Amino acid sequence: MGSAQLLSAQTAPAQQEAPAQQTDTVEVQRTFDENAAMFSSLGTPKRYFVRKINVHGLEYLDANLVKASAELIEGDSIYLPSNYISNAINNLWNQRHYADVKIGAELDGEEVILEVFLKERPRIYNWEFEGISSSKKKDLIEKLKLRPNTELSDYIIDKNTKLIEKYWREKGFRNATVDHRITQRDTTRSQFVTMTFVIDRGERVRIGEINFKGNEQFDDRRLRRTFKKTHKKSINFFRGAKLNEEEYAEDKELLVDFYNSKGYRNATVLRDSVYDISSNRIGIDIDISEGNKYYLRDISWVGNSVYPTEQLQGMFGMSKGDTYDKKAMHKRLGIGKEENPEGMSVKSLYQNQGYLMSQIEPAETIIGADSIDLQIKVFEGKPFTINEVGITGNVRVDDEVIRRELYTRPGELYDRSMLMQTIRMLGSMGHFNPEAIMPDIQPVSNELVNVNWPLEEQASDQFNIAGGWGSGTFVGSVGISFNNLSIKNTFKPGAWRPYPMGQNQRLSINAQTNGTYYKAFSFSFTDPWMGGKKPNSFTLSAHVSEQNNAYYVWQTSTMHFRTYGLALGLGKRMNWPDPYFTFYGEASYERYNLKNWGSFIMSNGSANLFSLKFVLARNSVDQPIYPRRGSEFSFSVQVTPPYSLWDGKDYSDSSMSDNERYKWIEFHKWQFKSQWFQSLTPDEKLVLMVKAEMGYLGHYNKYKTSPFERFEVGGDGMSGYNIYGIDIISMRGYEDGALDPVDDYYSVAYNKYTAELRYPIILKPSSQIYVLGFMEGGNAFKSWQEFSPFKIKRSAGVGVRLYLPVVGMLGIDWGYGFDAPAGSTSKSGSQFHFVMGQQF
């Protein structure tokens, strides 16, 4: 029998923890004294063979994993004394699973039996919080990534305590304190404990004062306006007054940027301090060194050979004698944090012509007390050609469908503007998360570059069940839209999952009814690449509806209004004036059949409507759900043949029957719509949207004006049903149709203006939520002679939008109408509106 020796030992720092049970996970033949004498580290190392390794004290961990992590191997040869055991000790401590580690041995001739004594750290059974609400508890657990059945240590306690304090500081509770309590659970698994953080938030602390020192050129009020997130307490309750250290640091950079933009190149924040004013107010003092104001004395260009100096200087736009403006200079050069991949700059001029590695570096030389010589160094490099274009992440959408939307193609010159165009096109498809579309640019040589597109798919099909109120009755509707259909795979084995998909074709089927009184069905199919070779779209749609007086199933109708319609359209994506333009043409036929219908301009008979519609549109919006930049406009005209010019009938004859007068409907209809998006903050979250639109329904013969295809202005833009072919124009703050002339059937002209401020709450593939505030103005008219773009009814309000891929866009708005609706003398006042779908 050999002697027992303790080779190495290390004890963890004291901490509050549950006692551990020592359980042998490997059968031990001998009794070993854990407190045996330490093995002497002196003397000549001797070689031993590890006969066996016994692990003691484990309750949850696996002994074999312990041996592997310690790099202890049975049958291995070791030298004692040496650093072999101390390395094993360090390996075990690095796991952070143990409160105590000792390794001992029994020496038996040339063999050694290693004994590993471990004391496991307590395991977390549950995380608890005191002093806060359950919603905040859930938020903290998610943010701190707290999971049960993990080990507990002083490090974990200290780390999470600091993170909790930071969490509450960011919410304005700067004096929040966090304590902790460890509770032993009454269970046979003695290592499990409950970890409770005891939180005292204290009072919310707001900024009471922001003072500046050393500022002579601009007063405190002007400098405070440069801060975007850090504000002192004021009567403006929409503006926060809490101090967030990260946002405060960014605002100090904005302060320096402001001075730089005014010519004060050397402006800097010397020091700043945050101090307590009271228990719930703090003050901020900022000491500034403004320096001298500088002007550009000379501008020169070096290294440019592709573009002449005159062209680069013209794009740069700064001249000798101008005030030094660092922000504008970097923006026009396209460098630093002012670089905008979609904006026009000197760098984009090179990047859009293949010069991927081009660099622009301004060198400044101070001359005297107030002048700067600016030398702009251009490193052009070589033009790059696209070598390979890769696509990853797509499962539901076919590769060929994605590739035909790409503007980055192998063999072509690298062009950054085409990257941005591709990002917009992929986002507009609706199948990929627009927030995650970003190309991976990988140069493979001095002249070749690979462009990879990692994509994150999101659900795009939609199923809607909704209800609406129209003409005094509730109408239910159900609809389904397949937005990634593949007709060619209909008969392909295994393609139905759950329907043949992959070609980005769209099929929509909708039905509406309230029982027997009203029924409607519509169908539409669109192939955005008819034939798959060119971006020419094909659209086929049809609809049928009926309204009668059979309110119950057992009743037989004695009157009805039936509508049948069919439309065929072709669209083309244009390259001139730019790739954002599209042209669409449509031919449609509709037939209206009436029987004893006394509430319309005609009661019996049929009316036919054949028309051609042409739409010229341009869309540069970066993404469809929450746009941040770009614009969209459309100009459309819909015309019917002017039957009254050649049919020889006298439509001024008042004795002519309505059935004969409206047998063939004639009109010309004009509509113009435009909207523009612009982000207002560096993080591109706060977005301004402005929109304007107008419409006019004209006639060829004043005695043959169309009773169909008119406009209904007012309300939320939705209706329970529509049988007269009218266009419903939303106008929040007013009831449905409230702005239409009271002495006519709907309107023949309208105008509308909208301004919205939007801010996102959640932007994820599974859901997107944003809030908005709006101002609107608009009106409806019964003739073109009465039309005026300045006669408007005004409203303002707030709203929220929720986008779910399965159901589409949902929303609710509250609006206040400041003017009286048509036929009324009192203000429209407060109105709530529900919204379904995107509106343009």
Side-chain angles (χ1 to χ4, degrees):
M1 179 71 66
S3 61
Q5 301 280 335
L6 187 63
L7 299 180
S8 182
Q10 186 173 352
T11 303
Q15 67 173 8
Q16 186 178 358
E17 57 185 14
Q21 293 180 344
Q22 294 184 1
T23 303
D24 294 343
T25 57
V26 178
E27 183 181 357
V28 181
Q29 301 286 333
R30 304 172 177 85
T31 302
F32 186 87
D33 185 3
E34 187 178 345
N35 297 312
M38 289 291 295
F39 187 85
S40 174
S41 61
L42 302 176
T44 303
K46 181 181 178 181
R47 184 180 183 185
Y48 294 93
F49 292 94
V50 180
R51 182 198 305 171
K52 197 170 186 180
I53 302 171
N54 297 320
V55 182
H56 308 266
L58 293 184
E59 187 173 356
Y60 306 106
L61 299 175
D62 181 74
N64 291 323
L65 292 177
V66 171
K67 295 175 189 178
S69 62
E71 298 182 4
L72 298 175
I73 304 173
E74 293 181 357
D76 199 2
S77 62
I78 65 173
Y79 285 87
L80 296 177
S82 70
N83 60 359
Y84 179 84
I85 299 301
S86 62
N87 289 341
I89 291 285
N90 289 331
N91 289 337
L92 290 173
W93 277 115
N94 289 337
Q95 302 298 312
R96 296 214 311 254
H97 295 320
Y98 313 106
D100 191 18
V101 176
K102 295 178 183 178
I103 296 182
E106 287 190 19
L107 304 179
D108 188 4
E110 294 184 352
E111 294 183 333
V112 62
I113 300 174
L114 297 180
E115 307 286 349
V116 182
F117 296 91
L118 302 174
K119 183 179 181 180
E120 291 183 334
R121 295 188 186 278
R123 312 288 293 183
I124 307 274
Y125 179 80
N126 195 24
W127 298 90
E128 294 292 345
F129 295 86
E130 290 183 6
I132 60 175
S133 65
S134 57
S135 62
K136 296 299 181 185
K137 170 186 173 182
K138 182 178 180 181
D139 192 27
L140 277 171
I141 289 176
E142 290 296 324
K143 286 183 177 296
L144 274 56
K145 296 181 172 59
L146 301 178
R147 301 292 182 264
N149 200 27
T150 56
E151 74 278 357
L152 178 64
S153 67
D154 289 339
Y155 167 78
I156 291 177
I157 295 173
D158 183 63
K159 181 190 75 170
N160 286 300
T161 297
K162 292 177 179 178
L163 289 175
I164 294 171
E165 290 174 346
K166 180 183 178 183
Y167 173 86
W168 289 108
R169 279 200 308 272
E170 291 175 350
K171 295 186 176 298
F173 297 92
R174 294 180 58 82
N175 299 323
T177 60
V178 181
D179 200 355
H180 68 275
R181 184 175 66 248
I182 302 174
T183 307
Q184 173 71 52
R185 288 191 57 82
D186 185 15
T187 176
T188 55
R189 309 188 76 180
S190 59
Q191 288 293 91
F192 276 99
V193 298
T194 296
M195 180 66 199
T196 303
F197 289 104
V198 183
I199 301 171
D200 182 6
R201 299 184 308 175
E203 289 188 86
R204 190 186 295 271
V205 180
R206 293 180 171 87
I207 302 172
E209 293 291 340
I210 302 178
N211 303 311
F212 296 90
K213 298 179 182 179
N215 52 313
E216 298 177 357
Q217 303 301 323
F218 305 97
D219 59 24
D220 286 16
R221 183 178 181 183
R222 179 64 187 89
L223 296 182
R224 282 193 290 265
R225 283 166 49 197
T226 65
F227 286 2
K228 298 299 183 184
K229 297 292 183 65
T230 308
H231 308 287
K232 69 176 186 178
K233 182 67 175 175
S234 66
I235 59 175
N236 184 358
F237 58 87
F238 289 107
R239 190 169 64 182
K242 64 184 179 182
L243 177 63
N244 182 295
E245 283 82 358
E246 294 180 1
E247 294 175 350
Y248 174 49
E250 293 172 358
D251 282 342
K252 285 189 291 184
E253 292 181 6
L254 292 176
L255 174 64
V256 175
D257 289 346
F258 168 75
Y259 268 103
N260 291 162
S261 69
K262 300 299 181 181
Y264 297 90
R265 176 185 181 275
N266 297 328
T268 184
V269 175
L270 296 177
R271 65 188 64 87
D272 64 290
S273 60
V274 179
Y275 56 91
D276 292 332
I277 298 176
S278 64
S279 60
N280 61 355
R281 290 290 184 274
I282 58 173
I284 300 176
D285 287 345
I286 302 175
D287 194 356
I288 301 171
S289 173
E290 294 180 327
N292 296 331
K293 185 174 183 178
Y294 285 86
Y295 300 87
L296 296 177
R297 194 190 75 156
D298 185 52
I299 302 174
S300 60
W301 295 78
V302 177
N304 56 301
S305 60
V306 178
Y307 297 102
T309 299
E310 293 76 13
Q311 183 178 353
L312 298 181
Q313 181 62 38
M315 178 167 285
F316 185 48
M318 288 186 170
S319 306
K320 300 176 182 179
D322 287 352
T323 299
Y324 173 87
D325 186 343
K326 183 178 180 180
K327 183 174 182 179
M329 181 175 69
H330 284 193
K331 183 176 182 179
R332 295 173 186 179
L333 292 177
I335 61 176
K337 61 183 180 182
E338 302 301 328
E339 182 177 4
N340 179 8
E342 295 191 81
M344 289 302 300
S345 65
V346 174
K347 186 174 182 179
S348 67
L349 192 65
Y350 280 93
Q351 292 280 318
N352 295 346
Q353 293 298 321
Y355 293 90
L356 173 63
M357 296 301 180
S358 61
Q359 297 292 327
I360 313 295
E361 294 184 4
E364 302 171 4
T365 304
I366 299 177
I367 307 297
D370 63 353
S371 297
I372 292 178
D373 283 355
L374 183 64
Q375 184 184 68
I376 304 175
K377 301 177 182 180
V378 181
F379 302 91
E380 295 177 333
K382 296 181 179 180
F384 275 70
T385 301
I386 297 177
N387 180 47
E388 295 179 353
V389 178
I391 304 171
T392 58
N394 59 306
V395 177
R396 300 173 68 252
V397 185
D398 294 345
D399 276 9
E400 64 183 55
V401 173
I402 300 174
R403 289 191 180 277
R404 70 193 187 192
E405 301 292 351
L406 301 183
Y407 286 81
T408 53
R409 303 180 180 94
E412 296 185 356
L413 272 179
Y414 170 84
D415 187 339
R416 188 168 68 178
S417 66
M418 293 297 98
L419 288 178
M420 307 313 295
Q421 174 72 349
T422 300
I423 291 174
R424 190 191 72 84
M425 293 302 300
L426 292 176
S428 65
M429 290 177 70
H431 305 302
F432 311 108
N433 177 15
E435 304 294 326
I437 300 176
M438 186 57 60
D440 179 21
I441 310 299
Q442 297 292 338
V444 294
S445 70
N446 291 332
E447 298 180 354
L448 295 176
V449 60
N450 289 344
V451 179
N452 300 307
W453 292 97
L455 303 173
E456 181 182 328
E457 286 190 332
Q458 63 181 15
S460 58
D461 300 325
Q462 297 178 356
F463 178 74
N464 297 321
I465 298 179
W469 190 265
S471 297
T473 184
F474 180 83
V475 178
S477 64
V478 60
I480 188 168
S481 297
F482 301 109
N483 294 315
N484 188 29
L485 188 67
S486 176
I487 295 296
K488 72 176 186 179
N489 290 334
T490 301
F491 301 104
K492 183 178 179 180
W496 288 74
R497 23 178 236 280
Y499 65 89
M501 63 178 65
Q503 290 293 307
N504 197 35
Q505 296 167 337
R506 296 172 174 84
L507 173 66
S508 296
I509 301 174
N510 294 277
Q512 289 180 308
T513 185
N514 74 332
T516 57
Y517 175 65
Y518 173 74
K519 299 174 289 290
F521 176 82
S522 63
F523 154 90
S524 69
F525 170 79
T526 300
D527 185 350
W529 283 66
M530 184 177 61
K533 301 297 182 182
K534 294 183 179 181
N536 299 326
S537 65
F538 167 79
T539 300
L540 175 66
S541 62
H543 67 272
V544 58
S545 66
E546 177 182 337
Q547 183 177 348
N548 55 46
N549 63 341
Y551 296 97
Y552 302 100
V553 177
W554 57 84
Q555 290 182 324
T556 301
S557 63
T558 59
M559 55 186 291
H560 65 247
F561 191 119
R562 293 172 181 164
T563 305
Y564 311 91
L566 180 68
L568 182 68
L570 297 174
K572 179 178 179 59
R573 190 183 302 170
M574 305 172 66
N575 294 319
W576 186 88
D578 61 42
Y580 299 119
F581 276 88
T582 59
F583 182 78
Y584 177 78
E586 180 183 274
S588 64
Y589 171 77
E590 292 192 62
R591 180 176 176 84
Y592 303 95
N593 181 265
L594 294 84
K595 176 183 178 183
N596 300 327
W597 198 259
S599 58
F600 192 57
I601 194 170
M602 53 185 298
S603 303
N604 289 281
S606 298
N608 300 278
L609 193 162
F610 174 77
S611 68
L612 296 176
K613 183 177 182 179
F614 304 97
V615 182
L616 178 66
R618 184 182 188 274
N619 184 356
S620 62
V621 173
D622 60 337
Q623 55 177 277
I625 306 304
Y626 191 77
R628 294 174 172 86
R629 67 184 70 88
S631 61
E632 183 178 6
F633 87 85
S634 69
F635 175 75
S636 67
V637 56
Q638 184 180 2
V639 297
T640 66
Y643 304 105
S644 61
L645 296 183
W646 62 63
D647 62 8
K649 297 180 181 179
D650 182 11
Y651 290 96
S652 63
D653 183 4
S654 59
S655 63
M656 178 180 290
S657 67
D658 292 333
N659 190 29
E660 183 179 0
R661 185 184 302 273
Y662 298 114
K663 182 176 182 180
W664 286 97
I665 303 297
E666 63 176 28
F667 62 83
H668 51 91
K669 186 177 184 179
W670 309 76
Q671 280 187 282
F672 174 79
K673 298 181 180 181
S674 65
Q675 57 183 355
W676 174 77
F677 299 89
Q678 179 60 52
S679 59
L680 302 179
T681 54
D683 60 6
E684 296 189 334
K685 287 187 175 181
L686 182 64
V687 176
L688 172 67
M689 186 278 288
V690 292
K691 179 166 63 175
E693 60 179 291
M694 62 84 63
Y696 170 64
L697 180 69
H699 54 266
Y700 305 113
N701 188 320
K702 65 180 180 179
Y703 299 107
K704 187 179 171 65
T705 60
S706 172
F708 303 101
E709 297 296 328
R710 298 193 176 196
F711 307 103
E712 180 184 82
V713 185
D716 51 26
M718 301 192 305
S719 177
Y721 61 92
N722 173 13
I723 61 175
Y724 301 123
I726 59 174
D727 285 350
I728 302 173
I729 310 301
S730 69
M731 181 68 188
R732 291 167 289 189
Y734 297 86
E735 294 183 351
D736 293 347
L739 303 186
D740 293 329
V742 295
D743 56 348
D744 207 345
Y745 287 100
Y746 304 107
S747 307
V748 298
Y750 80 95
N751 60 1
K752 177 187 170 185
Y753 314 99
T754 303
E756 280 187 2
L757 272 178
R758 301 175 174 181
Y759 191 83
I761 305 300
I762 297 176
L763 292 177
K764 295 182 179 180
S766 58
S767 63
Q768 300 191 35
I769 303 175
Y770 65 88
V771 294
L772 61 89
F774 68 87
M775 293 188 296
E776 279 189 332
N779 209 347
F781 308 90
K782 65 179 180 180
S783 68
W784 181 251
Q785 289 72 24
E786 294 183 0
F787 176 85
S788 171
F790 306 108
K791 295 180 180 180
I792 60 174
K793 308 288 188 178
R794 303 158 300 163
S795 68
V798 295
V800 62
R801 295 291 183 273
L802 166 64
Y803 175 80
L804 298 173
V806 177
V807 298
M809 184 71 76
L810 305 173
I812 183 172
D813 293 326
W814 171 84
Y816 189 90
F818 298 105
D819 299 295
S824 176
T825 58
S826 58
K827 295 180 180 180
S828 176
S830 176
Q831 302 284 339
F832 282 95
H833 306 283
F834 294 94
V835 179
M836 290 187 65
Q838 293 278 74
Q839 297 184 0
F840 172 52

